[in-house]
Amino acid sequence: MTGLHHAIWLPLSVFFYAMVMLYWVRVSIAGNRGADGFFSASHGLPPWLGALVTAGVSLTGWFVLGGTQLVARDGFTLPVLVSAGVLLALPGVIFFKRLWFAAERLHVSSLADVFRLYYGSPFLVVVTTAIAVLFALGFSGLQVRMLSGLVEAMTGGAVSELAATTIFGFILFAGVGIGGMRSIGYFGVIQTVLVLSAIVFVAGFAVVSAGGFEPVNARLLALSLQPETARLFSVGKVIEFTAGLGRGGDYATSHTALANLSLAFALMGFQASPLVFKILFSTRRPSGVAAGQIWVTAGFLGALIAGGIMLTGAVGLVDDGFSIVTLFQGLHDRSPWFAAWMFIGVAAGVQLLAGLSLFAAAEGLVRHVYRPYFHSALSKAATVTITRIAIAILAVLAMILQTIAPVTLSALAALALPLAFQLWTPLLGVSWLGWITRQAAATGVGFGIAGVLLTEPLGYQVLSFFGLELPWGRWPWTIHSALWGMAANLAAVLIISAITNRTVVRQEAAEIRALFSGLLAISPKARDWRSFAWSIVIAWFFLAAGPGLIFGNTAFVSGEGETTAWLLGMPSLWAWGIAGWVSGLGMIWFLAYRMEMANPSQAVIPAYTPPLKLRRNNTEIEQERLRILFMAGAIVFVLAVLAAFIFSR
Amino acid sequence: MSKPARVERDLLVFSIWAVLGSGGLCFLLEGFSRDSYLLSLIGIAAIVASFVAHFIVNGIFGVGFGPGEAALGIGVFGVILMVFIGGWAIGALSESDYWSGLTLFAVLALGLPVYLSTRYGLRGAFSHFHVRHADFEDSDQ
C-alpha cells in the first residue's frame, strides 16, 4: 500500500464530514426565523430527534476516550461504570417532563431562564452559566485535546496537536456559531449515529486484535489470580478513612464502594446540566422523553457502555501496550479507511458535546448575564451577533487552554460534572419539591459549590497559592466531590427551607405549582406506588452503585485459588454491573411510566402572560452596574495578588 | 411533503448512509485490499441494507428518490464502473477483486428493477421506461 493511501483517508473523511455539516448548517439557517430560531430552533425539533441527540451527547465521547482508559488502568474496581447508562438516564426521567412543561408555560428555552423566573435568583442564573462555561472550556476542551493527540499519533506527527485543535475549533464554530441550536439538533442526529457505531466498531476491533473474547477472558482470569493484580477485580472496602489523594491517600485503594456511589452521583450531574436542557427545551413535545431515556440512553447507550466500552477497556487491561491511541495507530497502518471512519465517529461524539457546551455557555454569558443585567436595550439581532462572537472567543480560549495549560484544563474539567450535580436541588424545587424556597435553593447551591471546590484539586491548589493548606486532599474518605458538595447542599437546603417562609413565592412559581398540581398532577394510582418506588430506588442504588457492590466481588465466582472459575464467563464485578444495568432499566421504566414521572402527556399548556409593566430606561443603572463589576474585579485581583505575595510559600 | 417532514426524512437518509453506507464502503475496500471475497460481501450486504433502509424511509414519508439523490447514485455507480473497467483493463484486479466487483454491480443492477417493481408494481415499473407516443400526443394537445 502506498503512502498516499494512508495519508488521504483521514483528511478526506474530515473534509467530507465538514461538508455534510455545512450542508446542515445551511438547512438550519433557512429554517431559522429570527433570534428565537437561533437560540431554540423555534421549539420545533421533533421529539425523536431530541431523544437521540440527548443520548448522543451524554458522555459518549468521554466513555470512548476516557472510560476505556479508566478500565484499562483500574480494572473493574469502578463497576458503577457498567451501569452508567441507567445513571445517565435517571435525571432525565425525573426532571425532563416537568421542566419541559415549566419552560413551555413560562415560554423560555434555557435552564437559566427557568431559574430566573421561578426563583428570581441572579445567583442561580450565574452559576448555571458558569457550569456551561466549565463544560465548554474544561470538560469538552479536555476531550478535544485527547482527540487532537489522537490525530497527531495517527498521522505520525504530520498533523500536530495544535494544528488539529485549530481545525476542530474552526469546524466547531462553523457548525454552532452560524447555524445555532437548530444546526446542533439536525447535525447532532448524524453525529450520534456515527459515535454509537464507532463504539461498536472500536470494541469489535479491540477484541479481534486481542484474538477474541475467550483469550481476553482467560488472561483476565489469570490476572485476577495473581496477588499483585487481584485488587483490580474487586471493590476493596465500603469506605477508607484517608485524608484524600495527595494527602496520604493511596490511589490503589481509593476505589471503595462509596467512591463508586459518589462517582454515580457525578455521572448523574450530566443530565442536570444546562447543556442537555437546551436540547429538551428546543423540542416541540416532551413525548419522546420516556422512550428516549429508557430505550435509547439507558438501553442502547447503556448496552454499548456495559459491553463495548468495558470490553475495550478489558483488552487494555490484559495488554499493557494497548490503548485507544495504539488501536487507532495500528488500524491506520492496516486499514486507513476504517481508521478514518471510526475516528470521524469518535470526533463526532466529542464535537457534539463541545458544540452544545460552547453554544450553551455563549448563550448564558450574553443572553442570561450580559443582556438582562448590563445591556437590556440590546436588540434580538444584536444578541445573536454577540453570541456568535462569544462562541468564537470561547472556542479560541478553549484552544489556548488545550495547548498551553493542560493541567488547568484537567482541573477545570474535573469540576464540571460534580458542579452540575449541585443543580439537582433547585431542579427538584422546580419540578417536585415545591417547599424548597428561593433562599434555600440559592444557598444550597452555594454550599454545594464550596463542598466541591474544597475537595477537588482546583480548590485546594488555589487556597494553597494563597498560603492556606487544607488538611485533606482530593476526595477525602474516598468520597467523590459530587457527594461532598451534595451533602453540604442538602443540609443547607433542608435547614433554610425549614426556617424561611415557604408561602411567599413569585407569581411565576405559583403558576408552575398550579400547573403541576392541576393538569400534570400524578394520579392516585401512581401515588399508591410511592413507597414501593422509594424502596426499589434505594435498593438499586445500594446494590448496583453503593455498598452492595461488595457482594459483587464473589457473587459469580466458584472455587478458590487455582480452581477459581467465573460462573458467567466474565469477571464477577462486570457481571454484577450488567445485572445492575438490566435491573436499572426496569427501575427507570417503572419510574417513567408507572410513577408517571416521564410518561407522554398530551396536555396543552398555554404560555404564561406576565402582567404588563411599564418599561423603564435602565441604561444608567446598567452602566453603573458595569462600572461596579470592573471595579470589584480590579479590587479582587489586587487583593488576590497581595494575599498571594504575603502568605504563599 | 411539508418542510419539517422533508428535513426529518433527509436526516434519516443521511444517518443511514453515514453508518451503513460508509461502513459498507470500508468493508468493500478492506475486501479489495486483502483479496477477501467474504469481507467484500459484508460490504455489499451493508450497502444493500442502506438501500433497503432508504426505501423504507421513503415509504414512511411517501416519497421517492429526489432528483439530486438519483443523480448522485447514478454518478457514483458510473464512477465505480469506470474504475472497475479501468482496473480490469490494466490487469490490476485479482480474482477476488473481480468477483467482488461483479457481485456489487450484479446486486445494484438487479436492485433497480426490484425497487421499481416494489414501488410501482411490475406493470407500472415497465411503463416508467416504455413511454408511448400517444402519451406525448396527449400532452401536446
Side-chain angles (χ1 to χ4, degrees):
Chain A
M1 204 182 289
T2 64
L4 185 66
H5 272 96
H6 284 98
I8 197 75
W9 288 98
L10 189 60
L12 195 70
S13 302
V14 172
F15 174 76
F16 194 66
Y17 173 83
M19 287 301 106
V20 173
M21 184 195 75
L22 287 177
Y23 169 79
W24 282 104
V25 167
R26 191 181 135 264
V27 172
S28 306
I29 292 170
N32 285 344
R33 289 180 300 275
D36 285 344
F38 182 80
F39 287 117
S40 64
S42 309
H43 301 273
L45 296 180
W48 68 266
L49 185 150
L52 194 64
V53 177
T54 302
V57 81
S58 295
L59 305 183
T60 45
W62 179 84
F63 273 105
V64 181
L65 296 171
T68 50
Q69 277 184 8
L70 208 57
V71 178
R73 190 186 60 201
D74 300 336
F76 296 91
T77 54
L78 289 172
V80 76
L81 286 178
V82 185
S83 39
V86 174
L87 295 164
L88 286 170
L90 189 60
V93 168
I94 297 172
F95 298 129
F96 281 3
K97 180 183 167 187
R98 288 203 159 200
L99 261 292
W100 186 90
F101 278 108
E104 181 75 359
R105 181 80 176 123
L106 300 174
H107 202 61
V108 294
S109 65
S110 61
L111 190 59
D113 268 339
V114 173
F115 287 159
R116 179 174 58 82
L117 290 174
Y118 186 91
Y119 289 113
S121 163
F123 175 72
L124 286 177
V125 172
V126 172
V127 167
T128 310
T129 303
I131 289 171
V133 172
L134 269 179
F135 268 100
L137 296 183
F139 197 75
S140 309
L142 197 65
Q143 291 181 38
V144 173
R145 182 179 148 79
M146 290 164 91
L147 204 64
S148 306
L150 197 58
V151 172
E152 192 178 68
M154 280 171 75
T155 57
V159 178
S160 69
E161 204 173 300
L162 178 64
T165 306
T166 311
I167 293 168
F168 288 139
F170 273 111
I171 293 178
L172 265 178
F173 176 74
V176 178
I178 301 172
M181 191 59 217
R182 192 184 298 273
S183 160
I184 293 171
Y186 287 170
F187 193 52
V189 172
I190 297 162
Q191 288 172 318
T192 298
V193 295
L194 277 173
V195 68
L196 296 183
S197 55
I199 293 175
V200 174
F201 273 89
V202 165
F205 273 102
V207 173
V208 168
S209 67
F213 183 69
E214 282 301 315
V216 172
N217 204 34
R219 284 153 78 185
L220 285 174
L221 184 60
L223 276 181
S224 73
L225 297 177
Q226 291 170 16
E228 63 272 21
T229 48
R231 65 169 184 82
L232 298 174
F233 295 84
S234 65
V235 175
K237 290 179 173 179
V238 172
I239 188 169
E240 183 88 43
F241 291 103
T242 66
L245 301 175
R247 289 283 188 277
D250 180 17
Y251 183 80
T253 56
S254 65
H255 293 169
T256 60
L258 266 183
N260 273 277
L261 182 66
S262 46
L263 178 65
F265 290 141
L267 290 173
M268 283 160 55
F270 187 75
Q271 287 202 349
S273 71
L275 280 61
V276 182
F277 281 98
K278 270 314 294 177
I279 303 171
L280 178 74
F281 295 155
S282 300
T283 52
R284 75 172 82 107
R285 298 285 313 161
S287 48
V289 167
Q293 292 301 104
I294 298 167
W295 305 119
V296 186
T297 303
F300 189 66
L301 178 61
L304 288 183
I305 294 169
I309 297 292
M310 297 305 288
L311 205 50
T312 313
V315 173
L317 186 63
V318 297
D319 181 358
D320 282 342
F322 176 88
S323 69
I324 283 291
V325 175
T326 56
L327 172 81
F328 271 91
Q329 271 177 326
L331 200 60
H332 191 251
D333 292 339
R334 289 194 306 273
S335 311
W337 38 81
F338 261 122
W341 180 53
M342 282 160 52
F343 171 80
I344 287 295
V346 177
V350 174
Q351 291 247 321
L352 176 58
L353 177 65
L356 183 63
S357 54
L358 273 181
F359 183 77
E363 187 203 15
L365 288 171
V366 176
R367 210 169 162 220
H368 305 314
V369 177
Y370 177 66
R371 191 179 176 213
Y373 300 115
F374 301 104
H375 196 171
S376 56
L378 199 67
S379 69
K380 284 189 173 182
T383 308
V384 171
T385 308
I386 294 179
T387 304
R388 284 182 170 140
I389 294 168
I391 290 171
I393 292 171
L394 284 171
V396 171
L397 213 57
M399 277 193 277
I400 292 170
L401 270 176
Q402 288 155 29
T403 311
I404 62 172
V407 177
T408 311
L409 188 73
S410 300
L412 287 174
L415 291 176
L417 284 176
L419 285 185
F421 182 58
Q422 304 313 312
L423 295 180
W424 263 66
T425 44
L427 281 169
L428 281 170
V430 176
S431 53
W432 297 98
L433 310 175
W435 49 262
I436 293 181
T437 62
R438 169 182 180 268
Q439 298 88 333
T443 316
V445 169
F447 272 67
I449 291 170
V452 170
L453 288 178
L454 292 177
T455 49
E456 281 288 348
L458 189 82
Y460 64 73
Q461 279 168 6
V462 167
L463 288 177
S464 173
F465 180 73
F466 291 119
L468 181 64
E469 293 294 338
L470 292 176
W472 61 80
R474 189 181 198 191
W475 307 347
W477 292 2
T478 63
I479 295 174
H480 194 285
S481 56
L483 186 52
W484 281 114
M486 186 48 74
N489 188 339
L490 263 184
V493 165
L494 291 174
I495 293 168
I496 296 171
S497 287
I499 59 173
T500 46
N501 190 344
R502 292 193 292 275
T503 55
V504 179
V505 291
R506 291 167 59 84
Q507 195 175 351
E508 287 86 353
E511 287 284 336
I512 298 304
R513 297 265 63 87
L515 178 70
F516 291 159
S517 57
L519 260 180
L520 294 173
I522 298 295
S523 71
K525 201 175 163 188
R527 282 178 184 277
D528 293 343
W529 285 100
R530 254 198 315 206
S531 35
F532 179 69
W534 273 110
S535 308
I536 62 164
V537 170
I538 291 169
W540 187 84
F541 268 95
F542 180 83
L543 291 169
L549 287 173
I550 300 286
F551 302 134
N553 288 337
T554 51
F556 303 111
V557 179
S558 71
E560 272 184 34
E562 291 298 311
T563 59
T564 301
W566 287 333
L567 294 173
L568 296 179
M570 58 170 58
S572 181
L573 272 175
W574 191 358
W576 186 265
I578 290 176
W581 165 64
V582 173
S583 55
L585 213 53
M587 177 187 72
I588 63 166
W589 175 86
F590 177 79
L591 294 178
Y593 287 105
R594 279 274 180 268
M595 295 306 295
E596 300 175 10
M597 289 180 121
N599 62 330
S601 168
Q602 298 304 322
V604 178
I605 312 292
Y608 162 68
T609 315
L612 291 174
K613 289 179 191 167
L614 280 175
R615 287 197 69 179
R616 288 190 309 175
N617 185 357
N618 291 328
T619 313
E620 277 187 24
I621 299 170
E622 285 164 357
Q623 282 177 348
E624 181 62 21
R625 212 177 266 157
L626 204 57
R627 218 171 6 250
I628 291 169
L629 182 74
F630 278 116
M631 291 286 286
I635 291 168
V636 166
F637 179 75
V638 170
L639 285 177
V641 170
L642 279 175
F645 186 71
I646 295 167
F647 298 111
S648 69
R649 276 168 275 175
Chain B
M1 188 165 53
S2 67
K3 202 175 170 186
R6 163 68 66 181
V7 169
E8 286 184 42
R9 179 257 179 205
D10 288 354
L11 274 174
L12 289 171
V13 168
F14 267 79
S15 303
I16 288 162
W17 284 99
V19 176
L20 287 173
S22 308
L25 180 67
C26 287
F27 271 107
L28 200 61
L29 288 169
E30 193 72 15
F32 279 119
S33 162
R34 291 176 187 240
D35 282 340
S36 166
Y37 185 59
L38 181 69
L39 284 175
S40 298
L41 270 187
I42 295 173
I44 293 166
I47 291 169
V48 170
S50 308
F51 272 112
V52 171
H54 196 150
F55 298 156
I56 292 170
V57 168
N58 279 353
I60 290 170
F61 286 88
V63 292
F65 287 104
E69 289 170 355
L72 181 69
I74 292 167
V76 170
F77 184 81
V79 169
I80 296 173
L81 192 64
M82 297 237 321
V83 169
F84 182 73
I85 292 170
W88 170 74
I90 61 169
L93 297 182
S94 68
E95 193 181 336
S96 162
D97 295 344
Y98 184 72
W99 283 112
S100 301
L102 281 186
T103 309
L104 177 68
F105 294 124
V107 166
L108 292 181
L110 200 68
L112 182 67
V114 170
Y115 162 67
L116 289 175
S117 58
T118 53
R119 180 159 168 74
Y120 302 107
L122 273 177
R123 189 176 167 183
F126 180 70
S127 302
H128 265 70
F129 293 99
H130 180 247
V131 183
R132 292 175 302 166
H133 289 293
D135 293 340
F136 283 109
E137 285 161 14
D138 288 348
S139 63
D140 288 344
Q141 286 165 11

